Amino acid sequence: MPSLPARLTDRLVADPDVARTYGVDHSPGAVAPEDFTVVRARDRADVVEVLRYAAAHRIPVVPQGARTATTGAAMAIQGGIALNTEAIDHVEIDSVERIAVVGPGVVNADLKTQLTAYSLAYPPDPASSDSCTIGGNIATNAGGLCCVKYGVTADYVRGLEVVLPGGEVMRTGRRTAKGVTGYDLTGLFVGSEGTLGVVTEAVLRLIPAPDPALTVLAVFDTLEATMAGVAALREQRHTPSLVELLDGPSIAAIQEFGDYGFPADAGGVLLVQSDRIGHAHDDVLQYAEALASAGASDVAVADDAVEADLLLQGRRALNPALEARGSRVIEDVCVPVGRLGDLVRRVHEIADHHGLEAVCSGHAGDGNLHPCFFFDKDDPAQVAGAQAAFGETVEAAWALGGTLTGEHGVGTLKAPWLEGELGAAEVARQRAVKALFDPLGIMNPGRIFA
Amino acid sequence: MPSLPARLTDRLVADPDVARTYGVDHSPGAVAPEDFTVVRARDRADVVEVLRYAAAHRIPVVPQGARTATTGAAMAIQGGIALNTEAIDHVEIDSVERIAVVGPGVVNADLKTQLTAYSLAYPPDPASSDSCTIGGNIATNAGGLCCVKYGVTADYVRGLEVVLPGGEVMRTGRRTAKGVTGYDLTGLFVGSEGTLGVVTEAVLRLIPAPDPALTVLAVFDTLEATMAGVAALREQRHTPSLVELLDGPSIAAIQEFGDYGFPADAGGVLLVQSDRIGHAHDDVLQYAEALASAGASDVAVADDAVEADLLLQGRRALNPALEARGSRVIEDVCVPVGRLGDLVRRVHEIADHHGLEAVCSGHAGDGNLHPCFFFDKDDPAQVAGAQAAFGETVEAAWALGGTLTGEHGVGTLKAPWLEGELGAAEVARQRAVKALFDPLGIMNPGRIFA
């Protein structure tokens, strides 16, 4: 690589062992490439300098934050620059206009914490909230547990500052509550997985802080009864702030990991919350009644925030429980809420067909599940089976009117399925859109588009 | 014009007097061009046929619905086709997924009415709600009175079907609650004022129906006190569903038009509503108290929906009152809510400087006002003064951190100011985006971009 501009010398991560940690994201089996350079930008000017240099020398650039991506989108590229923006973490809160103007490196949970002093909230809450950055959330249009009531990251981004390949700084959207001057390119950049430019600042819309959430936990004997519970919640006039589903095998996996009080032979569990100001208590009682009527065999209601949190512990144990179980592929399909039961059934049919174990859990309130297929990585037949199951789950989601990714993004992992969902003409059009902003093709190449 | 495809023959509006009515929108002083063709499309296939034909013969196409645009964006173009989509008005409501899949010709208020049977709501409510179409709402990213609580049209559009010049059908976005497969081009089309393609279907997100709104009317002696009222409302944890401002001259204009019970010498009036389920009554009492503490000289609270409506009558009389007053230019600037008072003061300074009368009213909850400058159309000095005042108001909004259009769009009327707000580089980029979808430049040419 030609020598970097002097300004960037002390932004480099020189220690190769440390640098290697910037080479991977949280995608299963990620391995850092042999040769790449890590630049930790401190401000917009650093980003401009990197993108000017990269364009001049046609070097691929991977923008990245905390690398919590599960799709390969934040992994370094051989011979390229990993442009880390974690250190661009300024926060300006305007409580009158109810906006936060932030750098991409701000950690999601840190922003939430800072907002409590203003009685304001920024809802998007991916499971990795404690470590993931706003820049990464914007790159993937991250969702999380709150989406059933609050929507996704895109619903909270009013405007962006983006540095384009070559170093030009552009601004999208607005700071004001409304604004329709010219095209709004904000939504194009949100979810573009670093393939168009590097976000250096975002204007985020905030909401008045809700109440601390209270929780209902409902246990069902069968998957069918669990789905009747989901349907009963859809009829509530006050939308729950969280509706999480654990299927039978997920519950068994959690109970194997530790005793969280779930009956090991349950057909399904729903965890439901309300954070409605002044009404969380009434709401959870009403949800409990609706879930009991729908056929829950056991319903527990939290009386206060501490108890509410206890009830969620089993759900939180899911990821470590699954991780402890060994190699797996993780899905992220999203289907109409009314088809969730069909999706869970299909996932287990697919697993059975390949002789694999599977669990199926996720965000039942918005139709976005994260089925996992487990495999023995030393058994080629199981590895191939898991790969096949991954693709068949995508096809199952399509057949149910759904999409291949609800919130994780396409990355490298799902790029082979992109055309299957969008069609060749649309992929060609989206490549042309990319070329408009990145004519040299140096922005996160190989991600989204295979 | 070469002869139209046979399929379209009976979609033409043959009567020249009727056709002429399709030539204009609601922009001040709009005059239909001499020669244009009106096609009333009945379905997507008609739209495909028109755009295939138009591309083959390089004929400009103006997509239009009810022509309630105030900016010239829906006016026919000399030698072009006015492609009216009012008749594409299918509605499919899915109450489980809480979406409506609609044609562009559906009238905003008709959709709202249909949704009541499902206890669901589609919030965006431009003042022209009774006649404007969803297609036009999407074209301008329409706002209205509800935005302080509910946001704008873009916040409710999940996906679109669009016919591009040449006749290709593309789809954007998704039907499911989440979905991040590839770039989301939905936000690019929302607010693009018909310059990229023709929307033939939209997937709209719905919400549970709120309660009927109750109203508070607060009268203030001075503009400063009125703004203190606006600030007091910003501190409410329960955001009002409507916060409308009338300045002193607006009140005087309404009282000249008919007696709506406003004191003619008031400094300002705020109309505030709550539609919060089960709490509208508590909320308006609390707003009333906050407004009184902020310095209101008189506060009236509606006890029921009928009375609430009565209190809004004065606000509704504003547009006819202003229309009765003669020729005017209508602004649509949006500023940070904290700068509204400065904007109102600047508007009246500008009017005084040009010897014009002005009123300043609008959506105080979101910072989007519609100042009007009145002029004698037979007095060239007044005409020139009003034109100058229009531009100076845009500059005033910029100086306050605002934008030239909050919800009406750019159209032809504000195209000369586009570059002033976005800068030459951004305008060039947006023209390149347009060229990607409309390489021949036949989609609503001359709108947005001068």
Side-chain angles (χ1 to χ4, degrees):
Chain A
M1 195 181 285
S3 69
L4 279 159
R7 178 192 177 90
L8 299 175
T9 314
D10 68 343
R11 271 65 158 177
L12 291 175
V13 176
D15 182 321
D17 288 335
V18 178
R20 209 158 13 247
T21 65
Y22 289 89
V24 293
D25 63 12
H26 284 203
S27 54
V31 177
E34 275 299 299
D35 173 35
F36 64 97
T37 304
V38 182
V39 179
R40 285 184 56 90
R42 292 187 199 155
D43 56 21
R44 184 182 65 203
D46 286 351
V47 175
V48 167
E49 204 64 40
V50 170
L51 292 190
R52 204 176 273 163
Y53 167 85
H57 300 285
R58 313 224 165 181
I59 296 167
V61 176
V62 179
Q64 56 164 230
R67 290 96 66 209
T68 54
T70 59
T71 62
M75 281 182 60
I77 288 175
Q78 175 70 17
I81 296 172
L83 174 53
N84 193 289
T85 59
E86 283 173 303
I88 309 180
D89 61 355
H90 56 282
V91 175
E92 172 207 331
I93 295 164
D94 184 333
S95 62
V96 174
E97 308 301 327
R98 289 183 179 162
I99 55 173
V101 181
V102 307
V106 177
V107 170
N108 180 297
D110 290 349
L111 176 61
K112 287 180 160 63
T113 305
Q114 288 193 48
L115 290 171
T116 56
Y118 301 86
S119 299
L120 290 170
Y122 173 70
D125 63 342
S128 54
S129 172
D130 282 347
S131 55
C132 67
T133 62
I134 297 294
N137 296 171
I138 290 170
T140 54
N141 190 10
L145 307 182
C146 72
C147 307
V148 55
K149 179 170 177 180
Y150 292 108
V152 293
T153 298
D155 297 318
Y156 296 87
V157 182
R158 262 200 201 156
L160 294 172
E161 179 186 88
V162 180
V163 182
L164 299 177
E168 191 189 349
V169 179
M170 76 173 280
R171 285 176 185 82
T172 74
R174 60 192 201 270
R175 261 190 186 234
T176 47
K178 290 161 156 178
V180 290
T181 304
Y183 300 144
D184 191 341
L185 299 172
T186 310
L188 172 62
F189 281 89
V190 176
S192 64
E193 304 188 27
T195 62
L196 299 174
V198 181
V199 171
T200 46
E201 192 166 270
V203 181
L204 305 176
R205 179 172 73 85
L206 308 172
I207 63 166
D211 273 358
L214 295 183
T215 308
V216 191
L217 186 154
V219 180
F220 298 84
D221 291 337
T222 63
L223 178 65
E224 288 63 37
T226 317
M227 290 304 147
V230 172
L233 294 171
R234 292 301 281 183
E235 284 164 26
Q236 298 292 313
R237 201 166 174 203
H238 301 293
T239 307
S241 56
L242 176 149
V243 181
E244 291 290 304
L245 162 75
L246 301 170
D247 72 343
S250 299
I251 298 163
I254 292 168
Q255 283 297 107
E256 257 170 57
F257 186 68
D259 186 2
Y260 291 88
F262 296 136
D265 59 347
V269 156
L270 291 178
L271 288 145
V272 186
Q273 290 194 326
S274 169
D275 63 0
R276 190 160 63 104
I277 297 172
H279 291 281
H281 192 73
D282 312 346
D283 284 351
V284 288
L285 290 180
Q286 177 151 346
Y287 300 157
E289 206 180 293
L291 293 166
S293 300
S297 53
D298 193 19
V299 178
V301 178
D303 267 322
D304 57 42
V306 175
E307 215 182 303
D309 209 50
L310 277 174
L311 286 186
L312 267 190
Q313 277 188 4
R315 166 66 182 88
R316 274 206 212 92
L318 178 66
N319 280 335
L322 300 183
E323 217 153 302
R325 236 173 119 163
S327 300
R328 55 180 170 144
V329 292
I330 309 167
E331 267 292 355
D332 172 46
V333 290
C334 187
V335 297
V337 177
R339 307 305 300 271
L340 275 174
D342 297 323
L343 178 65
V344 176
R345 273 183 290 271
R346 272 298 288 143
V347 162
H348 289 295
E349 281 169 18
I350 291 168
D352 288 348
H353 177 76
H354 294 286
L356 300 173
E357 286 184 51
V359 301
C360 199
S361 53
H363 317 307
D366 56 41
N368 180 205
L369 297 188
H370 299 303
C372 285
F373 298 94
F374 296 92
F375 60 94
D376 176 351
K377 66 178 170 23
D378 299 322
D379 177 344
Q382 288 229 337
V383 173
Q387 261 317 106
F390 192 74
E392 287 164 27
T393 303
V394 165
E395 277 156 30
W398 289 341
L400 297 168
T403 175
L404 65 85
T405 174
E407 58 183 13
H408 290 174
V410 175
T412 52
L413 221 60
K414 286 199 161 172
W417 285 272
L418 184 75
E419 195 169 303
E421 181 156 331
L422 299 183
E426 185 56 28
V427 171
R429 182 166 21 249
Q430 298 202 358
R431 281 182 183 275
V433 169
K434 174 171 167 65
L436 204 66
F437 295 92
D438 177 28
L440 301 172
I442 60 171
M443 284 310 308
N444 220 4
R447 279 78 204 258
I448 302 183
F449 308 104
Chain B
M1 194 180 286
S3 68
L4 280 159
R7 178 191 177 90
L8 299 174
T9 314
D10 69 341
R11 270 66 157 175
L12 290 175
V13 176
D15 183 321
D17 289 335
V18 178
R20 214 164 3 250
T21 64
Y22 290 88
V24 293
D25 63 12
H26 283 201
S27 54
V31 178
E34 276 299 301
D35 173 34
F36 64 97
T37 303
V38 182
V39 179
R40 283 183 57 91
R42 292 187 199 156
D43 55 20
R44 184 182 64 202
D46 286 352
V47 175
V48 167
E49 204 64 38
V50 169
L51 291 189
R52 205 175 272 161
Y53 167 85
H57 301 286
R58 312 224 165 182
I59 296 167
V61 176
V62 179
Q64 55 165 230
R67 290 95 67 210
T68 54
T70 59
T71 62
M75 281 181 62
I77 289 175
Q78 175 70 18
I81 295 171
L83 174 53
N84 192 290
T85 59
E86 283 173 304
I88 308 179
D89 60 355
H90 55 281
V91 175
E92 172 206 330
I93 296 165
D94 184 333
S95 62
V96 174
E97 308 302 326
R98 289 183 179 163
I99 56 172
V101 182
V102 306
V106 177
V107 170
N108 180 296
D110 290 349
L111 175 62
K112 288 180 158 64
T113 305
Q114 288 193 48
L115 290 171
T116 56
Y118 301 85
S119 299
L120 291 171
Y122 173 71
D125 63 341
S128 55
S129 170
D130 283 345
S131 55
C132 66
T133 63
I134 297 295
N137 297 170
I138 290 169
T140 54
N141 189 9
L145 308 182
C146 71
C147 308
V148 54
K149 178 169 176 180
Y150 292 108
V152 293
T153 298
D155 297 317
Y156 296 88
V157 182
R158 258 196 206 163
L160 294 172
E161 178 188 88
V162 180
V163 183
L164 299 177
E168 192 189 348
V169 179
M170 76 175 279
R171 284 177 185 81
T172 74
R174 60 192 200 269
R175 261 188 187 235
T176 46
K178 289 160 155 180
V180 291
T181 305
Y183 301 145
D184 191 342
L185 298 172
T186 310
L188 171 62
F189 280 89
V190 177
S192 65
E193 303 188 27
T195 62
L196 300 174
V198 181
V199 171
T200 47
E201 192 166 271
V203 181
L204 305 176
R205 179 172 73 87
L206 308 173
I207 62 166
D211 273 358
L214 296 183
T215 309
V216 191
L217 187 154
V219 180
F220 297 85
D221 291 338
T222 62
L223 178 65
E224 287 63 37
T226 316
M227 291 303 147
V230 172
L233 293 171
R234 293 299 282 184
E235 283 164 26
Q236 297 293 313
R237 203 170 171 200
H238 300 294
T239 307
S241 56
L242 175 151
V243 181
E244 290 291 302
L245 162 75
L246 300 170
D247 73 342
S250 299
I251 298 162
I254 292 168
Q255 283 297 106
E256 258 170 57
F257 185 68
D259 186 1
Y260 291 87
F262 296 137
D265 58 346
V269 156
L270 291 178
L271 288 145
V272 186
Q273 290 194 326
S274 169
D275 63 0
R276 190 160 64 102
I277 296 172
H279 290 282
H281 192 73
D282 311 347
D283 283 352
V284 289
L285 290 179
Q286 178 152 346
Y287 300 158
E289 205 179 294
L291 293 166
S293 300
S297 53
D298 193 18
V299 179
V301 178
D303 266 324
D304 58 41
V306 176
E307 214 182 304
D309 208 51
L310 277 175
L311 286 186
L312 267 192
Q313 277 190 4
R315 166 66 181 87
R316 274 206 213 93
L318 179 67
N319 279 335
L322 300 183
E323 216 153 301
R325 236 175 119 163
S327 300
R328 56 181 170 142
V329 292
I330 309 167
E331 268 292 357
D332 172 46
V333 290
C334 188
V335 298
V337 178
R339 307 307 299 273
L340 275 174
D342 296 324
L343 177 65
V344 177
R345 274 184 289 273
R346 271 300 286 144
V347 162
H348 289 295
E349 280 169 19
I350 291 167
D352 289 348
H353 177 76
H354 293 287
L356 300 173
E357 286 185 50
V359 301
C360 201
S361 53
H363 317 308
D366 56 41
N368 181 207
L369 297 189
H370 299 305
C372 285
F373 297 94
F374 295 92
F375 61 94
D376 176 352
K377 67 176 169 23
D378 299 322
D379 178 344
Q382 288 229 337
V383 173
Q387 261 317 106
F390 191 75
E392 287 164 26
T393 303
V394 166
E395 279 157 28
W398 288 341
L400 296 169
T403 175
L404 63 85
T405 174
E407 59 183 12
H408 291 174
V410 175
T412 53
L413 221 61
K414 286 198 162 171
W417 284 273
L418 184 76
E419 196 169 305
E421 180 155 331
L422 299 183
E426 184 56 28
V427 171
R429 182 165 22 248
Q430 297 202 358
R431 281 182 183 274
V433 169
K434 175 173 166 62
L436 204 65
F437 295 91
D438 176 29
L440 301 172
I442 60 170
M443 284 309 309
N444 220 4
R447 280 78 203 257
I448 302 183
F449 308 104

